[in-house]
Amino acid sequence: MRPFDYERATSLHDASERMSDAAAIIAGGTNLLDLMKIQVMTPSRLVDISRLDGLDRIDDHDGGLRIGALVTNTALATDPRVRAGWPVLSRAILAGASAQIRNKATTGGNLLQRTRCPYFYDTAMACNKRAPGTGCSAQGGSGRMLALLGTSEDCLAAHPSDMAVALAVLGASVEITAPSGELRTLPVTQLYTLPGNRPDIETDLKQGEIITAVVLPAPRPGTAQTYRKVRDRASYAFALVSVAAVVLMDGDTIAEASLAFGGIAPRPWTDGSVNALLAGAEASDESFARAAAQLVPDSAPHPETEFKRPLLRRTLIATLREATGLAGRVDTARSL
Amino acid sequence: MTTFTVNGRSHALALDPRTTLLDALRDHLNLTGTKKGCDHGQCGACTVLVNGVRVNSCLCLAAMHDGDEITTIEGLGSPDRLSALQAAFVEKDGYQCGYCTPGQIMSATALFEELKAGHPSYVSEGLDGATMSDAEIAERMSGNLCRCSAYPLIREAIAMAAEAEE
Ligand SMILES: Cc1cc2nc3c(=O)[nH]c(=O)nc-3n(C[C@H](O)[C@H](O)[C@H](O)COP(=O)(O)OP(=O)(O)OC[C@H]3O[C@@H](n4cnc5c(N)ncnc54)[C@H](O)[C@@H]3O)c2cc1C
Ligand code: FES
Ligand code: FES
């Protein structure tokens, strides 16, 4: 690790004031310290927000929940309200990392964790995200963990979070506090920017802004919810493809479906046209195949992610079978 | 100065801000039971309890744990008074080289508490809680790798200690 000054923030305002281009916020530290050890991130100042009051609470809010940015992944996944009302969020978090990491990882840090693209991690390789303008070694390199959708010539990296995929399917928003103390909220899907020709810019956050909470809208009792994650080993691995689904049935017909996808894009991926195709459709393999055809692109941006096209198609179909009651099991949202 | 309690004893340390909790334990307090495998959160060899909760000490800055209570493998039992899990690992031969074992045992110690608290896992049937099973042990211990691949006996040792607890 490069040397840095360690400073414990005494308030949000104090934390914002200590921020600069060369400073980084540390919450759980499970992503930042990992990247600092290999000098992919080299802040000269760490601003520790982990002891700030009140940011570790989950409060009832407008029929839903307001989740403080410091709430740990474990605390969020095991909160009785979340398990009852938003089971897909519990499942997605529990599908990620390990118990040890979830105990330390925070809600804000999880959203802002960096990509797992191997070229981002390797400081000897070109990477437009890590070192703007150097090129993208993934082009022509190996590509098993790369994205399928939303990429650009300059960057093929995928966002690794499982939690963010569940938050996207649930229509959650992120509460952001500016150095002035002013608050703004953004839907989780709009927190992230697509790489284009600036893959080093990953979110809409401005200098000194801090994520202070995530807001969940009111639960949808009776919806079937599921998170299906496909990876290279049974546990403790990042998603190759994941699908989060919230489905409301009316007999054999899908009344409403909301889907979000992980492991395939630079942000948790949603596609309203896929949800629209499913609304009112009969729960059948034909309907599911139509939805998959709508979602899956005709070609992959990298030859080694070609396998993700059939994988995404099959994972989507398998998830919809579960969520519509044709096969397997799901969690059903209850009222709080 | 960073002050924390390790296995019931208070320590005050003057540390470089870069010092991880793992390095503080091993290099400054000479508590070498906690192992460094990957130093990147990928193997679980460095698992300790912080305020009763399992974490990877290699991904903790010592300075961020001022005032915390740390438990390491040295705090669970001693050669003549093994904890139930330590005894079960010996009985079942839950290791080969033994390098991952302290982390496995710290992790399993916390796993019991998490099950008691009703925490579900990704493989649990429902989200209301779960009961001990081979599949639950495998999922909940997935943050602890074993290069020797002693997994079957590690799971047996944990199941044995769980039965003994009941
Ligand atoms: C071995 C391993 C396996 C993993 N597997 C998975 C997995 O399968 N699925 C998955 O989803 N994740 C996985 N993770 C990633 C893990 O979920 C993240 O490391 C964790 O969620 C990050 O949270 P943190 O609080 O530790 O963040 P930190 O490391 O503290 O911070 C991460 C980033 O966010 C910034 N930041 C933190 N909080 C705020 C805030 N409130 N406002 C503004 N900026 C902030 C920091 O400056 C930093 O840039 C894995 C990690 C490891 C090490
Ligand atoms: S040494 Fe900490 S997880 Fe491997
Ligand atoms: S016993 Fe050798 S690494 Fe597990």
Side-chain angles (χ1 to χ4, degrees), chain A residues 25 27-32 97 106 110 112-113 161-162 211 229 238, chain B residues 41:
Chain A
I25 281 176
T30 59
N31 189 228
L32 184 59
T106 64
N110 187 308
L112 296 178
Q113 62 175 299
S161 171
D162 292 297
I211 294 184
K229 179 174 178 183
F238 288 92

Side-chain angles (χ1 to χ4, degrees), chain A residues 1 4 6 8 27 33-34 37 48 51 83 87 91 94-95 98-101 103 227 229 235-236 329 334, chain B residues 18 39-42 47 53-54 56 58-59 63-64 66 107 118 122 124-125 127-128 139 142-144:
Chain A
M1 263 188 266
F4 57 83
Y6 167 78
R8 188 177 293 168
L33 292 174
D34 185 17
K37 287 182 186 196
D48 178 5
R51 309 254 173 151
R83 288 194 253 175
R91 285 281 175 197
L94 294 170
S98 65
Q100 289 97 314
I101 291 170
N103 283 338
Y227 187 75
K229 179 174 178 183
S235 183
Y236 202 22
R329 52 158 304 286
R334 305 190 294 255
Chain B
R18 290 173 288 183
D39 212 22
H40 284 283
Q42 297 172 0
T47 304
V53 167
R54 54 172 158 167
N56 299 318
C58 70
L59 290 185
M64 290 176 73
D66 203 41
S107 210
Y122 184 62
S124 301
E125 194 50 36
L127 287 169
D128 293 331
E139 167 61 23
S142 71
N144 292 83

